[in-house]
Amino acid sequence: MSDIEHQQQMAVDRIVASHAGQPGPLLPILLEVQASLGYIPPAAVVRIAEGLNLSRADVHGVISFYHHFRQHPVGRHVVQVCRAEACQAVQCQATEAHAKQALGVDYGGTSADGTFTLEAAYCLGNCAAGPSVMVDDKLYGRVTPDRLDAVLATWRQRS
Amino acid sequence: MSTRIYISRDAAAQALGADETLLALQAAATAAGITLDVVRVGSRGMVWLEPLVEVVDGDGQRIAYGPVMAEQVPALVAAGLLQAAAHPLRLGRVEELPYVAKQERLTFARVGIIDPVNIDDYLAHDGFAGLRRALTLTGAEVVQEVTDSGLRGRGGAAFPTGIKWKTVLDQQSDQKYVVCNADEGDSGTFSDRMLMEGDPLCLVEGMTIAGVAVGATQGYIYLRCEYPHAQVALEEAIAAAKARGFLGRNVCGSGKTFELEVRMGAGAYICGEETSLLESLEGKRAEVRYRPPLPAIKGLFGKPTVINNVISLASLPVILQRGGAFYRDFGMGRSRGTLPIQLAGNIKQGGLVEKAFGVTLRELLYDFGGGSASGRPIRAVQVGGPLGAYIPESQFDTPLDYEAFAAMGALVGHGGIVAFDDTADLAHMARYAMEFCAHESCGKCTPCRIGSTRGVELIDRIIEGTNRAADMTQLADLCETMQHGSLCGLGGMTHFPVMSAVKHFPDDFARKR
């Protein structure tokens, strides 16, 4: 086991232990693991299953059900582009196409420099000021292709 | 002597630059030797005017300016914004703006006005009056008050809230739960988010009333993970309420217990369906449950559970404070009270409008919304989220009423209205409805799991146009199978957007491309 894997396991064990006694702890644990490691590595599944007395299949089944959970590492920032109806009504298709082109990836992909992972979102709750984009936890409204360039530039500088 | 300003912390306001505007205001004020007393509030609901800044003038009135972008701030401050001076962006008192003056704000009465997580501010605006009254009544009396109000589930299903509660109240159990469905996944809806960010204590109070009424001691707010701003506001509000004895082991000194916890979702639209939400809270794949048993009898962890939408629960404080009859006096027919309506999509003046049932789509789209944002004619609106029908201009005079909408093959749902101008392609939107259903299907029942994918293929073929007449017949058949054969509303309601598009916009399906 590499040092990194060992550290990840320690982190997962700490998270599992901190939820001891909580009813229905699996989602909170998975969310915390992903927030801490960026994704849910295969080794974490084993530790979580053991900690909660579940089968690995149970844990894997939950991870694979929810769109938010990732089983692979992502870029330093996650860019979500909303493609729901209210954003389509204000031409989010142009923003989507521009995002894919600017980052050189399709949905689910990570830009070659490792800065951004692009994801589709189905409503970010900003439907009166679309097209909407979220970078990590920061929400942006009226994101035209030009504004998307400006937003991405800000985050590139930051990282 | 400091100048008080109000600026929103609502996610939509932040998305349009409220934080940057505030930083610029602070810098400009410091340079001018003025100390600012900043209150971060919810949004007034006029999203097209965000970032909205309110300045308290010499008479103690809140004078609004908007939209105020960061780069405009130095000039605005030089022109006397902090003295509430005249300027083209000066809007005056928010209460006097027609968009706000014409509303009937019961559930959203405090949103945009108070500091969302300040207990004293909440108390000064009728906060906890409903809970205090509920604590003087028996559980049955509280349930009766809710029944009398005529409140129906605001999540979209419109089931009478009082009847749901009565079922839970009548169960004998060592443990009962109150669950708030805050998995607001419908496109075009954001009233739950605005309420949770702008007046989270109202939701805390509403859930506590529910707990006290039915004898539940534990509540959960199941919040979608796309709403991190709401999570912060709720956590702050819960901590504040707990610290002041409005939550916990001795609610308002009554000896009653009610604990509250926020649980985050993980990006699954299906969790808006109440039984799949309960599965998710239990830590499972969010597959829809068979009914019966009802959640009111066997809900979370197999115990009797009140599960209601954010707006339903946030309407309880005013109902308990002013009485069921007061609330029931708003509205029309069997749709009583008010609905926080969300104007979204291609609309000039998008935002939140709380009105009594009975207001027409046309009034909402033009009197409030000001028409489309693009300036082109509004061709269609989708009401009630991705599973709602597309409604043509000829039906814009329909009053917002559950029964009137059902009669025309549409639904009110959670009150979201998405406007499309005349560039919209409704065949494309019908295809998207099927695609969305396929993307979000939990996979438990076949009509939804397989039917949605076949639906996408069918509509692709129809758009291609090789065998259109036969494919259109098959699409209608498929929609009927999904409607009657699906386990829940996802597969069961996808026919609304698809077949309404077919019915009202047939040309879009017949066009040569």
Side-chain angles (χ1 to χ4, degrees):
Chain A
M1 191 188 294
S2 72
D3 273 2
I4 290 175
E5 280 169 333
H6 183 68
Q7 280 174 14
Q8 285 186 340
Q9 288 209 358
M10 301 263 289
V12 171
D13 289 347
R14 259 199 315 276
I15 291 167
V16 172
S18 74
H19 288 269
Q22 184 185 33
L26 184 51
L27 256 73
I29 287 172
L30 292 173
L31 287 163
E32 217 174 307
V33 168
Q34 181 160 302
S36 145
L37 306 179
Y39 72 114
I40 301 166
V45 175
V46 182
R47 310 297 288 195
I48 294 167
E50 278 174 10
L52 299 183
N53 196 23
L54 295 169
S55 74
R56 274 182 285 167
D58 284 333
V59 178
H60 176 76
V62 169
I63 293 169
S64 58
F65 183 90
Y66 296 90
H67 303 304
H68 180 70
F69 293 134
R70 293 182 289 254
Q71 299 174 73
H72 304 285
V74 284
R76 282 187 289 284
H77 306 292
V78 175
V79 179
Q80 295 186 75
V81 181
C82 180
R83 54 183 309 255
E85 289 89 340
C87 283
Q88 290 188 43
V90 285
Q91 276 73 52
C92 70
Q93 297 88 338
T95 307
E96 283 187 76
H98 189 75
K100 290 178 185 176
Q101 199 216 338
L103 301 180
V105 292
D106 203 343
Y107 287 127
T110 299
S111 60
D113 63 358
T115 309
F116 299 110
T117 296
L118 182 64
E119 287 183 356
Y122 294 84
C123 197
L124 296 169
N126 188 38
C127 317
S132 303
V133 167
M134 203 158 173
V135 183
D136 294 346
D137 274 358
K138 185 155 171 66
L139 183 64
Y140 297 90
R142 296 196 199 111
V143 185
T144 55
D146 283 350
R147 179 152 146 86
L148 182 66
D149 284 337
V151 168
L152 293 177
T154 314
W155 284 85
R156 260 198 204 97
Q157 269 180 0
R158 210 177 287 189
S159 69
Chain B
M1 182 67 190
S2 63
T3 300
R4 171 166 281 202
I5 65 164
Y6 295 86
I7 185 164
S8 178
R9 60 183 270 177
D10 182 277
Q14 291 191 32
L16 295 172
D19 292 353
E20 291 76 10
T21 297
L22 176 57
L23 284 175
L25 278 166
Q26 280 166 329
T30 306
I34 299 168
T35 314
L36 288 186
D37 166 20
V38 180
V39 183
R40 296 303 296 263
V41 288
S43 171
R44 293 281 202 161
M46 300 174 291
V47 176
W48 83 98
L49 291 178
E50 296 287 1
L52 186 83
V53 177
E54 288 176 85
V55 181
V56 177
D57 71 6
D59 301 326
Q61 300 289 337
R62 286 164 70 157
I63 304 299
Y65 294 78
V68 178
M69 303 311 294
E71 57 271 20
Q72 297 170 295
V73 164
L76 267 160
V77 169
L81 173 132
L82 295 174
Q83 292 77 37
H87 189 276
L89 292 182
R90 188 184 194 270
L91 302 162
R93 292 184 64 231
V94 169
E95 286 76 10
E96 288 164 10
L97 300 174
Y99 198 89
V100 173
K102 286 189 292 184
Q103 296 192 32
E104 288 141 308
R105 287 205 166 192
L106 303 183
T107 308
F108 273 72
R110 284 177 288 260
V111 175
I113 294 171
I114 65 164
D115 176 344
V117 295
N118 183 320
I119 296 273
D120 292 314
D121 216 357
Y122 187 68
L123 288 169
H125 289 82
D126 295 337
F128 292 116
L131 175 61
R132 285 199 170 112
R133 175 154 176 264
L135 287 167
T136 66
L137 305 174
T138 65
E141 285 168 335
V142 176
V143 172
Q144 191 58 48
E145 197 79 77
V146 175
T147 305
D148 290 347
S149 76
L151 179 68
R152 294 165 70 178
R154 297 287 189 251
F159 188 81
T161 305
I163 293 178
K164 205 181 237 187
W165 286 26
K166 174 85 167 52
T167 310
V168 178
L169 175 68
D170 289 346
Q171 304 304 307
Q172 297 296 320
S173 179
D174 56 337
Q175 177 72 60
K176 296 178 185 177
Y177 295 103
V178 176
V179 174
C180 172
N181 183 343
D183 193 59
E184 184 179 52
D186 287 352
S187 175
T189 67
F190 45 86
S191 62
D192 292 355
R193 181 185 60 67
M194 276 188 63
L195 191 285
M196 290 184 285
E197 292 174 7
D199 194 10
L201 287 163
C202 181
L203 178 59
V204 169
E205 182 181 353
M207 290 184 72
T208 311
I209 291 170
V212 165
V214 303
T217 53
Q218 176 69 49
Y220 292 101
I221 300 170
Y222 186 91
L223 178 66
R224 67 197 299 254
C225 63
E226 291 86 346
Y227 283 2
H229 303 80
Q231 183 187 7
V232 171
L234 286 168
E235 302 277 16
E236 287 178 37
I238 289 170
K242 224 173 158 150
R244 295 279 291 267
F246 293 100
L247 274 177
R249 287 181 172 279
N250 186 14
V251 174
C252 296
S254 66
K256 294 194 163 130
T257 296
F258 192 70
E259 305 282 358
L260 197 47
E261 190 182 326
V262 180
R263 287 287 183 98
M264 299 307 286
Y269 176 75
I270 195 64
C271 289
E273 197 283 332
E274 61 186 18
T275 64
S276 80
L277 186 155
L278 295 174
E279 290 288 297
S280 185
L281 263 181
E282 292 182 10
K284 301 176 191 158
R285 292 166 67 86
E287 288 179 5
V288 174
R289 291 179 184 172
Y290 292 102
R291 276 183 282 201
L294 294 170
I297 294 165
K298 282 186 86 163
L300 184 63
F301 303 115
K303 302 293 184 183
T305 301
V306 164
I307 177 163
N308 282 130
N309 165 257
V310 173
I311 302 298
S312 309
L313 290 162
S315 299
L316 297 163
V318 68
I319 289 171
L320 265 295
Q321 183 203 348
R322 313 210 40 182
F326 167 80
Y327 191 79
R328 191 187 54 218
D329 282 347
F330 293 85
M332 68 174 280
R334 287 173 50 216
S335 306
R336 310 312 312 176
T338 59
L339 183 69
I341 298 142
Q342 302 116 88
L343 297 179
N346 197 329
I347 192 91
K348 193 171 164 197
Q349 299 178 165
L352 187 119
V353 176
E354 183 174 350
K355 280 292 280 179
F357 285 94
V359 61
T360 68
L361 282 174
R362 197 177 299 281
E363 289 172 77
L364 290 164
L365 291 169
Y366 296 99
D367 296 353
F368 285 96
S372 74
S374 61
R376 303 179 69 96
I378 297 179
R379 183 167 184 236
V381 296
Q382 187 181 30
V383 182
L387 305 174
Y390 285 98
I391 297 170
E393 204 268 338
S394 60
Q395 295 181 331
F396 284 0
D397 291 311
T398 311
L400 217 60
D401 164 63
Y402 293 119
E403 279 65 43
F405 267 59
M408 66 173 185
L411 54 135
V412 171
H414 188 47
I417 300 178
V418 178
F420 293 83
D421 72 11
D422 61 353
T423 61
D425 178 345
L426 272 293
H428 171 80
M429 298 316 297
R431 183 195 187 279
Y432 176 80
M434 283 290 188
E435 185 191 351
F436 182 73
C437 181
H439 189 261
E440 299 295 341
S441 176
C442 82
K444 185 157 178 168
C445 72
T446 319
C448 174
R449 184 182 68 243
I450 308 283
S452 51
T453 298
R454 292 292 96 88
V456 172
E457 296 163 358
L458 254 177
I459 298 175
D460 277 342
R461 286 217 302 273
I462 289 167
I463 290 172
E464 229 167 73
T466 42
N467 194 11
R468 198 170 269 154
D471 286 339
M472 289 295 275
T473 309
Q474 208 176 354
L475 181 64
D477 278 357
L478 174 65
C479 280
E480 200 182 321
T481 303
M482 288 173 70
Q483 179 185 355
H484 298 295
S486 297
L487 202 50
C488 81
L490 180 53
M493 288 163 67
T494 297
H495 71 94
F496 276 115
V498 175
M499 292 314 290
S500 61
V502 168
K503 183 178 170 193
H504 299 301
F505 305 93
D507 292 353
D508 289 18
F509 293 81
R511 219 180 324 136
K512 262 209 159 69
R513 289 165 199 262

